[in-house]
Amino acid sequence: MTQQEHRLYLIQSLLAENAQYKEIKIPESADEQRKLLRALFNIRMPKPASDQFIGIQNAYLKEETRHKGITDFAELAPMQEGIYLWQGDITTLRCGAIVNAANSQMLGCFYPNHGCIDNAIHTYAGVQLRAACAELMEKQGHEEETGRAKITPAFNLPCDYVLHTVGPIVHGWLTEKDRELLASCYRSCLELAEQNDIKSVAFCCISTGEFHFPNDKAAQVAISTVKDYKKQTNSKIEVIFNVFKNVDLQIYRDILR
């Protein structure tokens, strides 16, 4: 099957899962088809899928990621010993684990085509990721606490694992409690990574953007927490600070120089 045939099969299969989608027409252009497919992935509840669906989805997503271009962590140059800075799409980074800025439900973003990292990671990992997260949350029996972390396979992403953490939501003035909770996110992810023998972790800018943690203050917490952890534990884990926006790139550069 061609990539277009894969895409059409997946769209048709997802539309067929719900009778209320029967009036939706599949657009002709490839870009609009991609948007529709992503939207259908985003709103699909965690549930089983057929082996055929999973196989075709896996082939499609891996080819989409290959087309975007994969960056291998091993090719990056460190800013400091064991610490790297990389600007790009975290879903294309090959490393031990990437960190997902999740919400307390831990099921991914259900808003169609939303621009958050939670949406992107769940989209390109595939429907298995939401199902894996749902299983974890069902066993836990309650929403995830801020500052904690969970681990899942990465499925169709080029990394090996995804670490999911819930950052603090800043309401009004930034408080010391907000800083402590954000630091806990970084420590929890590092501890979980080492428990699972993961050698490299890529952190996104947790709690910035939708959660309103000031970018510069978030970067200060991120870098100081990682450095303190590595020093206190004598950890050799390699840490990549992943940024997407130019403003965050400059902030991290200024602190790490």
Side-chain angles (χ1 to χ4, degrees):
M1 294 173 73
T2 66
Q3 193 71 341
Q4 182 181 17
E5 289 170 338
H6 284 152
R7 185 167 56 247
L8 289 173
Y9 168 86
L10 294 171
I11 291 172
Q12 290 163 354
S13 297
L14 292 170
L15 289 175
E17 285 186 344
N18 197 320
Q20 70 181 17
Y21 301 156
K22 65 181 180 181
E23 300 300 326
I24 296 177
K25 298 193 183 307
I26 300 175
E28 293 185 6
S29 79
D31 285 343
E32 290 302 313
Q33 288 175 7
R34 288 188 183 95
K35 288 179 183 178
L36 175 57
L37 178 56
R38 179 165 179 165
L40 292 169
F41 278 144
N42 297 158
I43 62 178
R44 186 180 190 270
M45 297 301 291
K47 56 186 177 181
S50 70
D51 290 343
Q52 182 178 12
F53 180 93
I54 293 297
I56 291 174
Q57 175 214 240
N58 292 355
Y60 175 79
L61 291 175
K62 286 176 180 175
E63 176 58 23
E64 289 292 291
T65 299
R66 188 200 66 77
H67 182 73
K68 287 192 293 183
I70 295 172
T71 297
D72 197 316
F73 148 72
E75 298 173 357
L76 303 180
M79 290 281 288
Q80 297 181 10
E81 185 178 356
I83 295 179
Y84 301 73
L85 177 61
W86 178 69
Q87 183 180 30
D89 178 352
I90 201 169
T91 67
T92 65
L93 184 61
R94 180 178 287 122
C95 62
I98 63 172
V99 173
N100 178 29
N103 57 50
S104 59
Q105 288 184 308
M106 296 284 282
L107 296 180
C109 172
F110 283 87
Y111 189 88
N113 291 295
H114 193 250
C116 69
I117 193 167
D118 198 14
N119 188 293
I121 287 174
H122 274 266
T123 296
Y124 290 100
V127 298
Q128 304 100 303
L129 182 56
R130 180 165 283 167
C133 288
E135 183 178 351
L136 286 175
M137 298 310 290
E138 184 177 355
K139 288 179 181 177
Q140 178 164 283
H142 59 82
E143 292 190 346
E144 185 74 352
E145 297 176 19
T146 302
R148 303 294 295 275
K150 290 282 188 293
I151 186 170
T152 64
F155 298 102
N156 291 293
L157 298 171
C159 57
D160 297 321
Y161 298 94
V162 179
L163 303 172
H164 308 260
T165 190
V166 181
I169 301 174
V170 177
H171 301 284
W173 296 106
L174 183 67
T175 66
E176 188 59 31
K177 182 65 173 177
D178 294 327
R179 295 175 186 270
E180 291 172 359
L181 287 171
L182 184 60
S184 180
C185 289
Y186 285 89
R187 284 194 301 271
S188 295
C189 287
L190 291 169
E191 290 167 356
L192 191 54
E194 298 215 280
Q195 289 166 15
N196 288 274
D197 199 31
I198 296 169
K199 305 300 185 185
S200 57
V201 175
F203 284 101
C204 61
C205 299
I206 303 167
S207 276
T208 58
E210 298 286 324
F211 283 16
H212 308 299
F213 206 112
N215 296 57
D216 57 339
K217 303 297 190 299
Q220 291 167 5
V221 171
I223 293 171
S224 63
T225 303
V226 166
K227 285 187 172 182
D228 288 347
Y229 176 87
K230 286 170 68 69
K231 182 178 180 180
Q232 292 166 6
T233 64
N234 198 31
S235 172
K236 302 303 181 186
I237 195 166
E238 307 270 18
V239 173
I240 308 105
F241 290 112
N242 164 247
V243 299
F244 192 73
K245 299 177 181 177
N246 289 333
V247 63
D248 290 313
L249 179 64
Q250 192 58 53
I251 289 169
Y252 274 84
R253 274 180 176 166
D254 289 344
I255 299 173
L256 288 169
R257 276 176 180 156

